[in-house]
Amino acid sequence: IKRLENLNYRNFMLVDDDGTVVLSLTPKLIEPGWNLLNPATSEQKIFTELFQRASVALQPQVSPLIYYNPDAAPGIFISTPLTGKDQK
């Protein structure tokens, strides 16, 4: 986790197969326990879309550069499925 902080990412999340956030390095932005399939705001829909696209494609997905509200800083979001060595 320290290594991720050194890369200067605003957040890093681990999400289970059902879309529930298991870990968030910045809980004030995205709280653990929140489900990506139930976005609370229109800004959060980008997480839902990326999660769904990565789940279907089984490949990394990248958002366009967008302004995500809490601090209005532009950013991109990346989603990639994590699979076991026996899965493709």
Side-chain angles (χ1 to χ4, degrees):
I1 291 182
K2 269 292 192 211
R3 184 178 236 180
L4 291 170
E5 291 170 350
N6 291 339
L7 291 173
N8 222 10
Y9 293 139
R10 280 185 45 208
N11 199 359
F12 175 85
M13 297 182 297
L14 286 178
V15 180
D16 69 14
D17 292 341
D18 297 322
T20 302
V21 176
V22 178
L23 170 79
S24 175
L25 291 185
T26 312
K28 67 181 179 180
L29 292 176
I30 301 293
E31 293 183 31
W34 176 63
N35 190 288
L36 297 179
L37 300 178
N38 298 311
T41 66
S42 61
E43 289 94 1
Q44 292 175 343
K45 287 183 182 178
I46 190 68
F47 302 124
T48 303
E49 292 169 7
L50 283 173
F51 174 76
Q52 290 173 327
R53 287 187 358 223
S55 296
V56 171
L58 295 178
Q59 294 182 8
Q61 301 294 310
V62 180
S63 76
L65 183 66
I66 61 171
Y67 286 89
Y68 177 72
N69 197 6
D71 68 9
I76 61 168
F77 300 92
I78 302 167
S79 177
T80 187
L82 300 177
T83 59
K85 66 180 180 178
D86 296 332
Q87 297 175 327
K88 293 186 178 193

